[in-house]
Each structure stands twice: as C-alpha cells, then as structure tokens.
Amino acid sequence: MESYTTPTRPRVYKQMSQEGYDHTAVEKRWQEAWDDASVYRTPDEVDDPTYVLGMYPYPSGKLHMGHVRNYTITDAYARYRRMCGDDVLHPMGWDAFGLPAENAAKERDTNPRDWTFDCIDTMRGQMKSMGFGYDWDREITTCTPEYYRWNQWLFRRFHEAGLIERRDAEVNWCPSCETVLADEQVEGDDELCWRCDTPVETRDLDQWFLSITEYADELIDAIDGLEGWPDSVRQMQRNWIGRQHGSEVEFAVEGHGSVTAFTTRIDTIHGATFFALAPDHPISEELAAENEDVRRFVEEEADPEGDEPNGVATGLTATNPATGEEIPVFVADFVLSDVGTGALMAVPGHDERDHAFAEKMGVEIKPVIAPEPDDWDGETVPDAPDVSEAAFTDDGVVIDSGEYSGLASETARERLTEDIESAEATTQYRLRDWGISRQRYWGTPIPVVHCDDCGSVLVPEADLPVELPEFINTTGNPLDAAEEWKQTTCPECGGPATRETDTMDTFVDSSWYFLRYVSPGLDDAPFDLDRANDWMPVDQYVGGIEHAVMHLLYSRFVTKVLADEEGLEHREPFTNLLAQGMVQLEGEKMSKSVGNTVSPQRIVEEYGADTARLFMMQAAQPERDFDWSEEGVRSTHRFLARLTDLVEEHKRQFMFWDKDDTDDRDAPDRDEIDDYVADEIDAAVAIAGGEYDDLTFNVALREAQDLVGTLRSYRGHAEPHPETYERGLDVAVRLLAPVVPHLAEELWATLDRDGFVVEADWPTATVDRETVERRRRLVENTREDVRDIVEVAGIEDPERIDVVVAPDWKFDALEIAIDSDADNLISELMGESHIRERGDDAASYGQDLQANREALQETLSGDEEYDALRAASWLIEREFDAPVRVERAADADDSVVRKAEPGRPAIDIVE
RNA sequence: GCGGGGGUGGCUGAGCCUGGCCAAAAGCGGCGGACUUAAGAUCCGCUCCUGUAGAGGUUCGAGGGUUCGAAUCCCUUCCCCCGCACCA
C-alpha cells in the first residue's frame, strides 16, 4: 500500500507581521462590550454558584504584581468554570480601613476617607484594565457605614453570645503607630510591629476581646477536615493554637499557700527536685518586696530573651504533692508568665531546660523514667538511665516512684492525675483571646458608651451605625480629640456618657466579608441567611501565605460563631485554599523598599493585559515563586501576535469558504497530516481541561501553546484541511480564553463565532488522557528510534523509511500475557491456534513475554498504532526529507516484520 | 528542639502519592542546521559516556534495605528552606 503522499496543495507563503496587534484597542473594546452585556453579573436567583474569591486588597494606591497574580489566578479559574457551564460568583471589594490611610492623610494634608476612595478608584480602574471579570454590582467597601455597621452589629451579637470581654490587659503597643497590636501582628524574635518594624512595647490598657479561645478545640480539630488547604497553612494554624493536654497540680509553697503548676509530664512528678516561678508571678513580686536577692534578680538580672537560664533561690521550699518532699523554690527567667500558669515543677532528669538550670544551681537530678526496654513485659521495672549529663525526655517506664514504678508514662499520667488530690487534667492553649481594640481613627467604632452610673453600655441596635466623626489631624487618637462626637448620653439611664474611642482591628472586617458579597446591599442583616446557606462556602479561595494564621483563623472563628448564633449552615468558610507564590525579580521578592518592583501599569501599556496575564500563568505553578522576566514577557507577547496572525490569515483565506458545502468537508484529499492535527486538537483539550481543574494553569497553557505551534507547522507544511484547521484555531482560542480573555474575544469574533467566548462552551475531547499519552509516546519513541538508527548507522541521505506495525497476533499475545496468571505462559499462548501457527516466531516472542512478565504494559491496539503512526509520518518525512511508508505487517517483508512489537514498530531505512 | 517542605542532568525545574513505557517532561543556556544580504525573530535537531540499525554502560544528596525491577517504597545519615519555640 502506498501511504506516502506528496503534498499536493500549494504551500502558503505570506509575510507575517511582527509588530503584533493593537492590544490597547482590543482590550478596551471587549471590556466595554462585557460591561454593556453585564456578562459577569451573578443574579441573586442562581442556585449555589461556584464561589471563586481572591483576598480583597488593602487600597494602598496601586496594584502591584502580587495582586495581579492573585487576581489572575481567580479570574482564570472563574472563567474556566463559567465556560464549563457553572454559575460563578466572582466578586471584589476593598479592605478599606487601616492605619496607612491615616498616615497618608497626615502626609498629604487630607483625610483618610478621601485618600482611601482615591486609591480605590485608581485600583478599580487598574483591575478593569486587567480584564478581571468581577461582578461589580457586589463590590463592598469596608470603610463605609453600610458595611461597618455590621461589624458593630456583630459585636452586639457576639456580646449576647457571651463572646466579648473587656478587661485590663497587658498589650503589645507600637509607639510609632500609637496603637495596640494583636500577638499575631508582632513579628520575629525582636518583636517588631508588622507594619512599621518599630520595636513593640507593652502597656496595660482596658481592652475589648473576642473569645476565640472558646472555639480553640473546634478550630484545631476541624483543621483535619480542611483537605483542600495546603499542609503548610494547616500546620501553621495548629502551631498557633498550640493545644497541649496535661495536668494542673498544686504545690504548697511555704508561707504562700498553694501554687498551681501546669505540666504535660506528671508521670515525672517523683523526679521534681525544684519548683520555679516566673519573675512576674505574684509570689515573685511579693518576695521581691522583702528579699533583696530576689528583687535584684527580678528587676535587674532576669533576661527572658537570653538563651541562658538564670534564676535565684528564694530560700523557700514547696511540698511535692506526690512525695511530700520539700523542694527548693527558685525565681527563674526561663519560666514565662504567659505559658501554662507561670509556675512549674522542674524535673531536671527529664527536661533539658530544667536539667541545665539544675546543673547551674547545683540541684539534685533524679531519674524517674527509664527508656522502655525492647522486650519489655509491661511490668518489670527497668534500671535507671544515666541522666547526669543529659535529660531523658522521651516517654518510657516509670521507676523509683513508689507504687507507680513499672507503669508506662501514659498510664502513669492518668493514674497520678487521678490519685493526687490537687491534680486535674487540663488543656492549655497558646492561642489567646483576640484583642480587637485599636487606639486609631480609621476603623469601625466599637459600639459602646461609658456611663459613670451604668458602666460600659452597648449602643442599641436601632442606633447603629455609630459613624466616625470628621477626621482630626492630631498625634494621639483622633477620636479622643473629637469632643462633640465623644460626648453622648447613656442609652440606659439617659445621663451623660462618653463614647468608646477605640476602633476595631481591621481583621474584624475581613473575618466575614466573604458573606457580605452574597447580599451586598442588604440593609437589615449582614447577609441573607438563606442565600448564604446556598452559596457558601467559598469554593476556591486564593491569597498570600502571610494570612495563613490571622485572617484565615479569624474567618474560621467568625464563621463558626455565625453557625452557632445565626443559623449559618456552614462551619468553615473556605473549601479550597490556594496560597499563591511570590513574584520575584532575580530571586528577590519585589518590594518598594528594595526598589525592584515592576509596574503592572507599564506592562499593560506596553504589552497589554493579556500578555501580562499569560506570562504569569504559564511561568510557574500558582503556588510557587517565580522570577519576572522581561524576556519572557516579550516572548509571550510574540506568541499572542503569532496566534493573531494565524487567525486573521485564516479569515482572509477562507472568507468565502462555504462551511455548508459538504463537498469541502468531505474533501477526498484529506490525508494523514489532517488526522494528526485533529488528534492533537483532541489531545490538547483532553489535557488542558484536567489541568485547569487542578489550577495548574502552566501545564494547561503549555498544551494550548503547543497546539498553536502544531497548527503553525501544519499550515507551513501542507495546505490545511479547512475544517480541521479552523477547529484547531477555535479550540486554541477557547483553551486560552480564561487567561487571555480580550484577545480570545477578538479572535472568536474573527472566526465568526456567535456570542462571547467568555460564555462559550468549554471544548470537549473524544480521547482520554491515557490514550493521548500512549499515542504521543509511541510517536516520540519511533521518531527517536529513527534518529538513533540514522545517526548510529551513519546514514547520510535516506531514500525511504518504512515503519511496520507488529502483526495482530503479537498484540493478541501481549493481551493474553498481561491478563494471564498461568505459570507457563508459552503453553497458554500456544493454546491459541492463530498464535501457534506462527511457529518459531510465536515461541520466540512468547519467551520474550515470559521473561518480561512483570513488566508488560498495555499498549494501543494494532489499529490505533497504525493510525497514529500514519498520522505522524509527516513529522518523520519533514525531519529526514524522505518518504515514509507506514505498513501493516501483512504488507511488509517478513525479515522486517520480525522486529516489530506492540508499541514498537519495525523500522527499515532504505539508503 | 518540634513541626512542615525540599535536595534530580550546565542551570531552573517536573516526575515520587499510584515502582516498570525514565537517561528522566518543560524552560533557559550552549551547539549544529533551515530561513535571511546580515542581525533579530521563527522553525528543525543535538546537548551523561560508548556504539557503523533502534544497543550497552553509569546517573536522580550519601549509605543500607525491600523487589524480578527503585529517582519513585522502607531505614539510617548529611545538607537547605519555611513556620513555631526557654511552651512546662
């Protein structure tokens, strides 16, 4: 059979433009068209849309590359889901309260409100120029009374639920920002303010707290169920909550009564040889007043930051409740008042820090736990380990502890906690209640008034919102200076009262904003409960890793409270979370202070939004860091220009082609190369869809870009079959549309398609991914084999290349071998008459199969292999400039056929 | 110290969960070729070693093990990054 065909259609030579396309005009045109058609509106009536959300930005002035990456990811995913037929909710808003607005207002002699709204206008404009498809009818701005009144409303509801406390607290105070910071906002060993890097001080102030600790157990336990979250974020939250199960136990300190200590290792209590108090423990302070040594230590020597454990003997003793022994009491700086109870039983034999301190102070070190012997019978008391040099800190078997000797640590803990009268099983958390008071102006006023008679009184719901007064430019808290605003009357007694001048931490705003998008204009509730129940949770949330603890933990907390108090039927706000990677420049994070930023605006002007988006999405997986590269941007831009040329050229060429003329479609000269391209189009669809589902845009886009490359080769090598070629262009445009929305619309229109590509159907494929991969591997392996032969055999100028597919009986034999579990494969094969009659060939192939029994792999069928190779033969022809003949075994010479196996055709090169 | 993630060819980096099609994707860099007056762009190849027919050899931080078979699974060890931490 003659399978080599000379290209009979004329090749198309045309000068392609190099300068690209007018991205500014294209992008503007489609942004306006989308706007006019409201294509990104999500009507209230839709049922459970796919909720795609990027973390809303703080309006600091201009969009930076991090924003662009964040929002391109959500936009691409939202567009993909939309093309798959989903209703999509993809809103945007502004985290508009916060200190920078106050600072900026002072610098520019304006006010935070005007400055903030200017920034919002700028950034909204930039988002529109990026082509992000948001439902702007759902836009929210947290600094408007329409939004923050619901913070106040929630404050009331939390109060009613008993989740609000006001108490005098030692707080982190930033002297530069003149405000309190949450623990989460104090960074690093140096304890610097997260905003301005000023060293943080402490102050005692009356503060409002949300009782997040009430939800500590659920917050930590439910992390296990957050399977759509990255492990890193889950682990950071677990660490932050820091739950520890242990026991509280009382030690009687001479002259000071019982002092409670917390320990996770009550099994070591018989080895407790001293007792230690934090320098700011009440007893330490009492002792300091009467004992000069203790005073000097507490006030002058204690260094909780240092690595060295320091301490001073108090001369007092404490009674070990397990042994009745009197042990010395120290004040030590390694004991921290905010950990456990600020007092601890020290067991130098089994705790490294206690060990170091005991050595330094000459305290007895006593082993009471031995490593569990390998063949331990569960009863015998092992020998004591040597703990003179180092503590043994693992669990093991209790020794030298009276009736508890011989118990495993775990059992001993239970028994001791039960038996010691003052001991009680307790759980400690690192998590503290969420202090939300900020001594700043630009935030939600805490809806409370202070009355001399009635104390702190909540502002009634009917009087909400408590609106911010005009901004006063002052060094302290502007609300303190707003005298007229501050003076009010008590809602309870009607007497004179003053307003609370603290405002809320802005993390309150962001802890529920994702619910507000559901019903942004609602004026009698923060969100429409029924719709929230339908629409929540957010299906895909995307943002920076810097919010791993604070924002994401607070949002989970608030969601759970709303579930308990307001009937929200969801206890977790975000099903899938993507922590996006950084955009870097030469391996460094882009930052204003380093001065290595790249302006998105400049990129959009120079190359267009589509180029910027495509470059970012194909550069790396979304969760990885990647380097911005101007070269990469240019090359992406050229790709889009080439695609444009391809589509436009096609349009010119086939302007008069009548698609309804079936003669053309069934043109008899449709040949293998057309099949190859048709297969590759299907292949691209099969792979790209799955990759979009997984948010691995880089892989999906590579597939789309490769397809465009294939189409270019197609057009260059042969005259394309019009319908196949056009379908290729059509599919390429649709595969790119989520990332390159403007140009995709333009090309969609050029291809005379109806409607918007945004609303077009995602293409479907007739092959599965596995077949695609097998087919590509077969073609690639075969091409490589031909290259190998040509090179190794030193063939200068091949005259013809024959590729012969293995005979059917070998495919059958392979099939049988894969399915068979018989010991003797040969005899099983020989049971098949059509195999047996192959004689020696069958025996020899059977032996090969037998030898590789375990390694046999499914291949394409013989027909599929033949079709795939025929379709790909043009690639080999092009490369070696020689005709290629793809044949079935029956049509080829026996000596050649013998070498063919399923998945590995015989190759014969004629010189 | 605890927890998490990593160490792959000149570089970046996929593969590892679900062992075999893996000398190992892709990109960059380098080399050769086509096109071009030239450059650029684009396109086609090559880029661990050996080899005159698709082969063989040695590789995936290091060492051991499991298996017919290991970059992939297990153990030990070294190094890097991130988070938490005198946390009782």
Side-chain angles (χ1 to χ4, degrees), chain A residues 265 268 271-274 345-359 363-371 384-396 399:
Chain A
R265 291 299 305 273
T268 64
T273 53
F274 68 99
M345 66 170 218
V347 185
H350 303 288
D351 181 284
E352 282 172 19
R353 190 202 41 220
D354 295 349
H355 192 279
F357 189 79
E359 277 195 316
V363 181
E364 184 191 0
I365 299 172
K366 185 181 163 197
V368 292
I369 303 286
D386 178 12
V387 291
S388 58
E389 292 300 316
F392 171 71
T393 58
D394 292 346
D395 273 8
I399 59 169

Side-chain angles (χ1 to χ4, degrees), chain A residues 333-486:
Chain A
D333 62 3
F334 68 87
V335 185
L336 307 176
S337 58
D338 59 349
V339 175
T341 60
L344 61 83
M345 66 170 218
V347 185
H350 303 288
D351 181 284
E352 282 172 19
R353 190 202 41 220
D354 295 349
H355 192 279
F357 189 79
E359 277 195 316
K360 184 171 172 176
M361 307 303 280
V363 181
E364 184 191 0
I365 299 172
K366 185 181 163 197
V368 292
I369 303 286
E372 184 182 310
D374 288 340
D375 53 353
W376 191 47
D377 57 13
E379 286 175 37
T380 311
V381 180
D383 292 338
D386 178 12
V387 291
S388 58
E389 292 300 316
F392 171 71
T393 58
D394 292 346
D395 273 8
V397 180
V398 175
I399 59 169
D400 289 338
S401 302
E403 58 177 301
Y404 302 97
S405 297
L407 295 179
S409 287
E410 183 68 49
T411 319
R413 282 195 283 270
E414 288 166 18
R415 291 267 302 273
L416 281 155
T417 303
E418 212 170 288
D419 296 350
I420 296 171
E421 199 182 335
S422 69
E424 198 179 347
T426 56
T427 304
Q428 289 276 327
Y429 303 89
R430 207 181 82 95
L431 182 70
R432 295 284 172 258
D433 277 337
W434 177 13
I436 59 161
S437 293
R438 297 291 180 274
Q439 289 66 47
R440 300 307 319 170
Y441 167 78
W442 196 230
T444 304
I446 292 175
V448 166
V449 300
H450 300 289
C451 168
D452 284 344
D453 295 329
C454 311
S456 298
V457 179
L458 257 60
V459 175
E461 195 172 332
D463 294 346
L464 298 182
V466 176
E467 289 201 43
L468 284 169
E470 286 299 309
F471 179 65
I472 296 169
N473 194 338
T474 167
T475 43
N477 180 351
L479 290 184
D480 249 339
E483 278 302 325
E484 204 176 312
W485 174 86
K486 198 172 153 185

Side-chain angles (χ1 to χ4, degrees), chain A residues 5 15 29 67 119 125 166 197 355 422 496 692 910:
Chain A
T5 54
Q15 185 56 48
R29 172 156 59 245
H67 291 131
C119 289
R166 177 177 165 84
D197 286 344
H355 192 279
S422 69
Y692 268 108
V910 182

Side-chain angles (χ1 to χ4, degrees), chain A residues 21 23-24 27 603-613 637:
Chain A
Y21 63 101
H23 56 260
T24 310
E27 292 177 0
I603 301 298
V604 170
E605 282 162 13
E606 214 165 309
Y607 303 98
D610 285 336
T611 296
R613 297 170 56 126
H637 190 249

Side-chain angles (χ1 to χ4, degrees), chain A residues 3-136:
Chain A
S3 65
Y4 174 62
T5 54
T6 313
T8 51
R9 303 176 191 133
R11 295 174 70 164
V12 180
Y13 292 105
K14 193 172 302 246
Q15 185 56 48
M16 307 270 283
S17 70
Q18 290 290 321
E19 64 271 23
Y21 63 101
D22 184 351
H23 56 260
T24 310
V26 168
E27 292 177 0
K28 187 159 177 291
R29 172 156 59 245
W30 293 103
Q31 282 158 18
E32 286 168 3
W34 293 328
D35 230 12
D36 291 345
S38 299
V39 292
Y40 304 114
R41 278 284 333 269
T42 309
D44 288 344
E45 300 74 47
V46 304
D47 184 44
D48 192 18
T50 298
Y51 192 169
V52 182
L53 188 63
M55 290 181 186
Y56 70 168
Y58 179 78
S60 56
K62 285 181 182 163
L63 238 43
H64 59 241
M65 281 299 175
H67 291 131
V68 173
R69 190 175 190 195
N70 191 164
Y71 304 139
T72 302
I73 292 168
T74 57
D75 193 51
Y77 188 65
R79 286 171 185 277
Y80 168 67
R81 300 300 324 177
R82 208 183 287 276
M83 291 177 76
C84 290
D86 293 10
D87 288 313
V88 168
L89 175 62
H90 186 220
M92 183 43 71
W94 310 99
D95 186 17
F97 270 140
L99 194 52
E102 281 183 69
N103 297 336
K106 284 182 190 174
E107 273 169 38
R108 285 154 233 242
D109 197 27
T110 171
N111 65 77
R113 191 188 150 79
D114 291 347
W115 182 82
T116 300
F117 278 98
D118 277 354
C119 289
I120 289 174
D121 284 344
T122 305
M123 290 173 73
R124 189 193 299 106
Q126 288 184 304
M127 286 180 177
K128 288 186 174 177
S129 76
M130 286 303 304
F132 297 142
Y134 298 123
D135 180 353
W136 287 108

